[in-house]
């Protein structure tokens, strides 16, 4: 289990973070916790019911924790911070994958556009992806499609747009 976690770390370092690698890391964490609980069961001489109950509790806590975390935003921030253009080492940022992460990647895209030393082509590509996300993915068309996360993304965009163009937003 430990060597698999180390191998996953090498993959992330070499090829950047993806949703599947996050899922694999969570799965490996659950497997490691299960092995630890088995060891604890043996040492404390507990029953199988105890082991199953703690394993299920671990699973439920993990599922609830994952439901509260914006995984695509975490991946986007991680990949931007560890990109060649920002950190000076690693791989160049994969703009298409950032786009594929959806609206959650917008703050990371903005951070990349503000900090990275990139050419006009890559900047234009990133700005086009950003505009596509804003125009096609984000608008909430019906009250039934409203989500808390979507509202936070709209609030973020409203703040960014107000800072970028104060005259348009009424702020002088």
């Amino acid at each position: 289990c430990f060597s698999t976690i180390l191998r996953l770390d090498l993959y992330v370092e070499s090829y950047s973070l993806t949703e599947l690698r996050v899922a694999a890391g969570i799965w490996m964490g659950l497997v490691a916790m299960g092995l630890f609980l088995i060891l604890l069961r043996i040492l404390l001489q507990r029953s199988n019911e105890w082991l199953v109950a703690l394993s299920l509790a671990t699973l439920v806590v993990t599922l609830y924790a994952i439901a509260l975390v914006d995984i695509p935003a975490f991946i986007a921030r991680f990949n931007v911070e560890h990109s060649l253009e920002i950190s000076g080492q690693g791989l160049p940022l994969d703009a298409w994958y950032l786009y594929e992460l959806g609206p959650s990647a917008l703050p990371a895209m903005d951070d990349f556009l503000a900090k990275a030393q990139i050419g006009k082509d890559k900047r234009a590509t990133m700005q086009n992806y950003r505009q596509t996300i804003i125009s096609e993915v984000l608008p909430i068309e019906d009250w039934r499609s409203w989500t808390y996360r979507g509202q936070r993304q709209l609030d973020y965009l409203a703040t960014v747009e107000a800072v970028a163009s104060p005259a348009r937003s009424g702020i002088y």
Side-chain angles (χ1 to χ4, degrees), residues 20-132:
L20 284 176
R21 290 187 182 112
V22 169
I26 293 167
W27 177 253
M28 284 181 238
L30 284 172
V31 169
M33 188 64 178
L35 292 172
F36 174 74
L37 290 175
I38 290 171
L39 180 64
L40 202 59
R41 178 202 173 276
I42 293 168
L43 292 175
L44 299 176
Q45 299 177 352
R46 299 291 178 143
S47 66
N48 284 339
E49 291 82 18
W50 178 88
L51 178 63
V52 169
L54 278 179
S55 297
L56 285 175
T58 302
L59 178 63
V60 167
V61 167
T62 302
L63 288 175
Y64 272 105
I66 295 305
L68 297 175
V69 175
D70 190 359
I71 300 287
F74 171 76
I75 293 168
R77 275 192 316 271
F78 181 90
N79 287 345
V80 165
E81 290 171 6
H82 293 88
S83 68
L84 178 65
E85 295 89 352
I86 300 289
S87 69
Q89 49 190 320
L91 293 174
L93 184 68
D94 185 358
W96 175 253
Y97 186 72
L98 214 58
Y99 168 74
E100 287 290 313
L101 290 174
S104 296
L106 285 174
M109 283 181 172
D110 291 342
D111 193 37
F112 182 77
L113 287 168
K115 293 180 181 177
Q117 300 296 327
I118 52 176
K120 290 180 182 178
D121 292 341
K122 190 157 190 169
R123 183 170 300 280
T125 300
M126 186 68 75
Q127 288 171 336
N128 286 339
Y129 287 156
R130 183 182 185 282
Q131 281 306 116
T132 303

Side-chain angles (χ1 to χ4, degrees), residues 114-157:
K115 293 180 181 177
Q117 300 296 327
I118 52 176
K120 290 180 182 178
D121 292 341
K122 190 157 190 169
R123 183 170 300 280
T125 300
M126 186 68 75
Q127 288 171 336
N128 286 339
Y129 287 156
R130 183 182 185 282
Q131 281 306 116
T132 303
I133 290 173
I134 291 171
S135 63
E136 293 180 2
V137 179
L138 267 186
I140 298 173
E141 312 228 346
D142 189 3
W143 65 270
R144 290 172 290 198
S145 64
W146 183 90
T147 62
Y148 176 70
R149 189 171 289 161
Q151 185 63 46
R152 287 189 61 207
Q153 291 162 349
L154 288 173
D155 293 345
Y156 167 79
L157 281 176

